[in-house]
Amino acid sequence: MNHPAHKTPLNGLTYEQLVELCHRIGVKPVHAERLLASIFRRYNTDIGAITELPAALRNYLSECTSIFVPECTASQQAADGTQKLLLGMPDGKEVETVLIQGSGRLTQCISTQVGCAVGCTFCLTATAGLTRNLSAAEMVSEVFAGQHISGRKVRNLVLMGMGEPLHNYNAVAQFVRIATDPKGMAFSPNRVTLSTSGLVPAMYRMIDDELPCNLAVSLNATTDAVRERIMPINRKYPIAALMKAVRAYITARGNKRVLIEYVLLAGVNDSADDAVRLCELLDGLDCTVNLLPFNPFPGSDFKRPDDAIVTAFRSALASAGKVVVVRESKGREISAACGQLKTETKQQHLRTGG
Ligand code: SAH
Ligand code: SF4
């Protein structure tokens, strides 16, 4: 693995940090810009081959830094083109990333943690708890892997893979800044979306820090009683506090539209009354609602609602004037619920004694 512990992971540094590094070793700061373009725009991972850099800088970088590209340890491709990759990190821990084809644009779903501590009862990632946070360099390396494996330019990033991004705020913020730096990866802040289960204080921190990305919130229920049952985080940050933070975010960002995610669980949160309450909660809010029919996985007690229920729920929101999209998990046949490729691969390892 090309990521020894004593070496600084170069793909986790911002432009400002690269300038500082150049300054430290007595190289003109203009080279930081070249380095940034070479690594983050052209996805060059061989420092020795960046011949436009002075030899002194190249030697230093080769000796003291490394660019980490994860190993793809398993992959699955669905008929609709969705590709799931299992990526091995330097310590052997694995995370998933998903490449989603959509009207000519490639969207990549990024994991921010190995596992997750939030414990939502409908989520496969929750079952193993949290192993550790990912570093900014590791998140960047997911994009490198996506880019290399697809051979295409990734257009959109969604932080909706394994983990709760706001439980790993500093590394995620660093990643978002690297991804949106116009001199480097140059993702438009409008094309980077961070999804949270609703860590209210960290949402206010996003506002204060003017984090350059969109906000998506997993609301998933319309009463505190139900939300508490499916998302334990609701005990700490109930719906009223969450919606207040969402409204504060929209106001602070000059009416920036947010994404409201709502997992539809049969008989739990999919009634006509739920649809009415959801409209009330979202009253006057500039948002798009994403309905996510539950993606079943072995061992889960929840069920996906019938198509007729999904359609009725969608129609109820649409007729109340809400912008609503039913987001079928792309590539359902390749076990698209988050965390599932990882779980299946682990079971296979166990079966084969690997
Ligand atoms: N931790 C963050 C981001 C990762 S989860 C969050 O919770 O927002 C991304 C989305 O997948 C969330 O909206 C979550 O509610 C949804 N999700 C998780 N498990 C699901 C499942 N089995 N079926 C459908 N959606 C699911
Ligand atoms: Fe974590 Fe999101 Fe899964 Fe909840 S839905 S357990 S916050 S990854």
Side-chain angles (χ1 to χ4, degrees), residues 8 20 22 54 71 95 166 176 228 245 351:
T8 306
E20 196 192 293
C22 285
E71 197 184 329
V95 294
L166 296 185
V176 168
E228 248 168 53
R351 275 201 296 272

Side-chain angles (χ1 to χ4, degrees), residues 1 68 73 87-95 132 138 342:
M1 201 68 65
F68 172 62
T73 50
L87 302 178
M89 291 299 162
D91 61 353
K93 298 283 181 283
E94 292 176 318
V95 294
R132 70 167 174 88
E138 287 172 324
K342 181 170 168 152

Side-chain angles (χ1 to χ4, degrees), residues 108-140:
Q108 187 172 5
C109 182
I110 301 289
S111 289
T112 56
Q113 296 183 306
V114 183
C116 184
V118 178
C120 304
T121 52
F122 54 82
C123 175
L124 183 59
T125 303
T127 49
L130 176 70
T131 303
R132 70 167 174 88
N133 283 331
L134 290 180
S135 67
E138 287 172 324
M139 289 176 239
V140 169

Side-chain angles (χ1 to χ4, degrees), residues 122-123 160-161 163-165 195-197 218 220 261 263 292-295:
F122 54 82
C123 175
M160 295 182 184
E164 167 48 54
S195 172
T196 180
S197 57
S218 301
N220 295 345
E261 294 163 284
V263 178
L292 312 164
F294 174 63
N295 225 311

